[in-house]
Amino acid sequence: MTESVVPGLRTAERLIADLRAEIARADNKAAVLVAGLGVTVGALTGALSATEWRPWRLSVAAGVAWWFGCVAWGAALGLLLLAVVPRYERGPWSVERGLTYFRDIQCAVVCGQLEAALHRTERDPLPGLLSLLDELSVIAMTKHRCVRWGLGCFAVGAVAFPVMLLIE
């Protein structure tokens, strides 16, 4: 089928390209934030280890702020790493859906249906593209949610440590 015969084909392809770019941006944001968190933790650790400072010597209020900041930064690291983890959230592959990305190709090879899947995808690419649109939108939303929450946890930790110093 030609593009003019398949309504929505060009729009689906454009949206898939947009979603892939958005996923790449979310991965880049998370990577930058992980690097920033590493630098910040390294600087704080270096500054504190150069002194006789120990967390168990803190007052109760300062200790709560310290451990709250540690937990917040640990959560930030976990969430930001989750943001960059590859995701494959599709159900079982079928020839009817066609081929849209590398996992589909491998499933078709394992099932011995690669040639049939190629012909199906060439004949009617829209079902596969619609399925891929759904999957990519879930991946983009999940990555953005992890980045947003990770950034929030990073900010909480960045506030908790100065508060700890002010209390102490």
Side-chain angles (χ1 to χ4, degrees):
M1 290 189 151
T2 63
E3 288 182 332
S4 61
V5 178
V6 181
L9 182 64
R10 276 187 279 167
T11 301
E13 289 171 340
R14 180 184 52 80
L15 288 171
I16 287 169
D18 290 348
L19 283 168
R20 285 184 172 147
E22 195 59 41
I23 288 168
R25 281 192 293 274
D27 284 343
N28 288 337
K29 288 175 191 174
V32 167
L33 288 169
V34 167
L37 181 59
V39 168
T40 305
V41 169
L44 181 64
T45 303
L48 293 177
S49 65
T51 66
E52 293 295 317
W53 184 90
R54 300 289 180 262
W56 55 85
R57 294 183 187 159
L58 295 171
S59 67
V60 173
V64 167
W66 164 259
W67 290 112
F68 191 72
C70 288
V71 168
W73 277 1
L77 179 62
L79 286 162
L80 294 170
L81 291 175
L82 275 174
V84 296
V85 168
R87 288 177 169 72
Y88 313 108
E89 306 202 5
R90 298 178 84 161
W93 176 81
S94 68
V95 172
E96 292 76 30
R97 188 166 55 197
L99 302 172
T100 57
Y101 78 121
F102 64 91
R103 182 174 173 263
D104 292 345
I105 297 166
Q106 281 304 301
C107 289
V109 168
V110 168
C111 294
Q113 298 182 352
L114 181 58
E115 187 175 345
L118 284 168
H119 292 297
R120 170 71 170 104
T121 303
E122 186 69 26
R123 216 173 31 257
D124 187 11
L126 199 56
L129 294 177
L130 294 175
S131 175
L132 186 60
L133 266 175
D134 177 41
E135 180 178 359
L136 290 177
S137 66
V138 169
I139 290 171
M141 287 173 37
T142 302
K143 285 179 177 285
H144 277 280
R145 188 177 309 116
C146 288
V147 169
R148 189 170 44 250
W149 281 93
L151 183 58
C153 289
F154 180 76
V156 166
V159 170
F161 291 114
V163 165
M164 178 263 312
L165 292 173
L166 289 172
I167 293 172
E168 193 55 30

